[in-house]
Amino acid sequence: MHALGKIIIAGLALVVFGGTAYGYANLRALDDVTRDSVIDGEDDAQPGEQPADGSLDILLVGRDARTDPQGRPLSPDLLRELRVGPNGDDLTDTLIVLRIPNGTKAVKAFSVPRDSYVSMPGGKGKINAAFGRGKAGEAKRLRDAGETDKAKIDQGALTAARRATRQAVEDLTGVKIDHYAEVNLLSFSEISKAIGGVDVCLNEATKDRNSGADFPAGPQKIQGADALAFVRQRDNLRGGDFDRVRRQQVFLAGLARQVMSAGTIADPGKLSDLIDAVKRSVVLDSSWNLLDFVAQMRGVSGGGIQFETIPVVNRDYRYDPANPRATAVQVDPAAVKAFAASLIGPAAAPSAPASAPASSPAAAVTVDVANAGPKTGLAGRVAGVLGEHGFAKVTTGNTGSRRTSLVRFGPDLARQGGEVAKLLGGLTTQESSSVPAGHIEVVLGTVYSGPGAAGGGGAPAAGDEPITSGGVVCVN
């Protein structure tokens, strides 16, 4: 949804990539943007950041909030203009991570569905609830400690909420977040208007009362309240939230393309309006030096941002036996971590975690993973899942087509083979003396749907085009 926050800042960086004095002078005006202490060790940020994990990682957060960055309520007139009701919540409707590998200009962005069911302080829940839990918990702690200043309580609670959201994303993805950007309904509308709209395309006409969406099929340029409706709609879409994730991605790709276009770069009025809109409505972490970021990102092309979605296990996960109608998105944290890691380098199995030392039985086994189906990169993603569970020696390859999956092993590795089969969703096992000693063979059939099956997120349906900032992709 309003993930737009950081591609805006990334876009603003790209806007001044030409290095013009005008661009730098205006970017310095962003010193007035709202800041918050969201990132640990903020005083350690250095120019030209080259993080130890190999990638500069930026968390984009979109909130369904009816307030400005300082927590002040939006006016009734403005809410009517945005086509939203007066009652918001403390949920995060958009979570997108930008991965910028050290020394490269290939920006990878991936979405985390807001209903992903994860472990958090206070118990398991949907990841979009981390913000509200952190906010409520800190507000209570401050009041219990005797704080009576409402402004201090509110600000402390917001900071805790943002940090809780950052932590939840880090815990799920294994990505160390270096910077944070947050936008709300107002910022989304204002920034899209500032650049003169964004080009999008719909496969078919759609209308939805709840979001205010009313769009024809085909290419179109949207801004303001229409842009907000475009990325908020999930009712009357075949894929529900997953179609909405695609909407968010295609909008952000178009936004990045528009910001980086000559029409924005060469137009002082648009550039000034864009910077003013960001200053009014975006929250950034305290350590983010935007001028350094501009210099570091110099050279990224208009098509240099690629969007994906984390792998999911079950879109319709019934997580509460006491309430069978309650649903969430089931995810495998190991598969998500392997997917995120694969975005900044060749697909490879991560090293064994601390819980599986090199001397463990899992670490001593070699698992040979072969893809017998058409899914590109499947063996590599499954190898990453196994690596996260302590199988440090994993090879990948392809084999002849096969419908069902199979785990084969010698008599001495029956226990480890059974563990592999269980980790991958309960695959069929077969004991065979033809398997080389010390090896377990995994064959992934065409109907494999276990951890790692959803490459690039698994959210897009078959035939969906990849989304990049290089061109307009039609979506539902």
Side-chain angles (χ1 to χ4, degrees), residues 112-319:
V112 177
R114 70 172 198 162
D115 289 340
S116 298
Y117 198 68
V118 301
S119 296
M120 297 183 290
K124 287 189 173 183
K126 298 178 182 180
I127 198 167
N128 68 340
F131 192 99
R133 286 192 188 184
K135 182 179 177 183
E138 180 64 7
K140 182 179 184 303
R141 188 192 71 78
L142 290 171
R143 286 193 294 267
D144 290 347
E147 182 60 67
T148 58
D149 187 315
K150 184 178 184 303
K152 289 183 178 180
I153 293 174
D154 289 346
Q155 183 55 58
L158 278 174
T159 299
R162 290 161 180 150
R163 293 175 70 88
T165 298
R166 185 214 77 214
Q167 190 64 57
V169 172
E170 289 185 343
D171 290 345
L172 173 63
T173 65
V175 172
K176 176 66 174 68
I177 298 301
D178 300 298
H179 292 301
Y180 174 98
E182 175 189 305
V183 295
N184 62 12
L185 306 181
L186 174 62
S187 51
F188 192 87
S189 174
E190 296 233 325
I191 292 170
S192 63
K193 287 192 293 186
I195 62 172
V198 173
D199 290 315
V200 298
C201 179
L202 288 174
N203 290 320
E204 55 190 39
T206 182
K207 191 171 185 177
D208 169 49
R209 182 175 182 179
N210 288 337
S211 65
D214 187 0
F215 301 108
Q220 51 206 287
K221 188 182 287 287
I222 56 175
Q223 61 178 290
D226 284 338
L228 186 58
F230 180 85
V231 294
R232 290 184 71 225
Q233 182 183 4
R234 62 173 173 165
D235 295 335
N236 299 326
L237 298 180
R238 288 192 297 269
D241 262 344
F242 284 90
D243 278 347
R244 178 161 71 169
V245 166
R246 294 270 293 174
R247 290 266 193 105
Q248 295 166 4
Q249 292 175 345
V250 81
F251 184 88
L252 289 174
L255 175 66
R257 188 170 53 252
Q258 179 68 17
V259 168
M260 290 183 281
S261 72
T264 300
I265 293 174
D267 187 329
K270 281 187 178 180
L271 182 56
S272 179
D273 289 346
L274 178 56
I275 290 172
D276 286 344
V278 171
K279 288 166 59 178
R280 287 194 301 270
S281 57
V282 174
V283 178
L284 303 180
D285 68 87
S286 300
S287 68
W288 203 342
N289 185 316
L290 296 180
L291 291 179
D292 287 340
F293 183 63
V294 168
Q296 185 175 2
M297 289 288 288
R298 189 182 300 275
V300 172
S301 66
I305 304 174
Q306 300 178 22
F307 292 82
E308 299 190 55
T309 303
I310 64 168
V312 302
V313 176
N314 184 357
R315 301 187 187 192
D316 192 34
Y317 178 46
R318 309 287 167 153
Y319 61 92

Side-chain angles (χ1 to χ4, degrees), residues 22-194:
Y22 177 85
Y24 275 100
N26 277 269
L27 193 58
R28 285 188 181 280
L30 282 171
D31 287 343
D32 296 332
V33 72
T34 301
R35 302 277 188 163
D36 200 359
S37 180
V38 185
I39 306 298
D40 294 325
E42 290 181 332
D43 293 339
D44 297 329
Q46 299 294 326
E49 294 169 82
Q50 298 284 303
D53 66 356
S55 176
L56 183 68
D57 297 303
I58 301 165
L59 175 60
L60 322 179
V61 174
R63 290 181 56 209
D64 188 22
R66 274 67 168 170
T67 57
D68 65 14
Q70 290 74 42
R72 296 174 298 225
L74 302 180
S75 71
D77 288 344
L78 188 51
L79 293 176
R80 281 192 293 272
E81 179 185 334
L82 297 175
R83 306 172 198 163
V84 296
N87 299 317
D89 51 42
D90 285 323
L91 301 175
T92 49
D93 280 348
T94 301
L95 296 168
I96 293 181
V97 176
L98 292 182
R99 303 217 74 183
I100 307 168
N102 294 346
T104 75
K105 308 303 178 186
V107 180
K108 304 294 181 66
F110 66 87
S111 297
V112 177
R114 70 172 198 162
D115 289 340
S116 298
Y117 198 68
V118 301
S119 296
M120 297 183 290
K124 287 189 173 183
K126 298 178 182 180
I127 198 167
N128 68 340
F131 192 99
R133 286 192 188 184
K135 182 179 177 183
E138 180 64 7
K140 182 179 184 303
R141 188 192 71 78
L142 290 171
R143 286 193 294 267
D144 290 347
E147 182 60 67
T148 58
D149 187 315
K150 184 178 184 303
K152 289 183 178 180
I153 293 174
D154 289 346
Q155 183 55 58
L158 278 174
T159 299
R162 290 161 180 150
R163 293 175 70 88
T165 298
R166 185 214 77 214
Q167 190 64 57
V169 172
E170 289 185 343
D171 290 345
L172 173 63
T173 65
V175 172
K176 176 66 174 68
I177 298 301
D178 300 298
H179 292 301
Y180 174 98
E182 175 189 305
V183 295
N184 62 12
L185 306 181
L186 174 62
S187 51
F188 192 87
S189 174
E190 296 233 325
I191 292 170
S192 63
K193 287 192 293 186

Side-chain angles (χ1 to χ4, degrees), residues 363-419:
V365 172
T366 297
V367 184
D368 304 309
V369 182
N371 185 0
K375 296 179 180 177
T376 302
L378 175 61
R381 292 192 299 276
V382 171
V385 173
L386 294 173
E388 284 286 341
H389 285 279
F391 291 89
K393 302 174 183 177
V394 186
T395 69
T396 62
N398 296 310
T399 189
S401 180
R402 174 188 170 97
R403 183 175 184 276
T404 59
S405 302
L406 180 67
V407 178
R408 300 171 68 241
F409 43 81
D412 58 326
L413 292 180
R415 183 179 64 79
Q416 293 93 331
E419 182 182 350

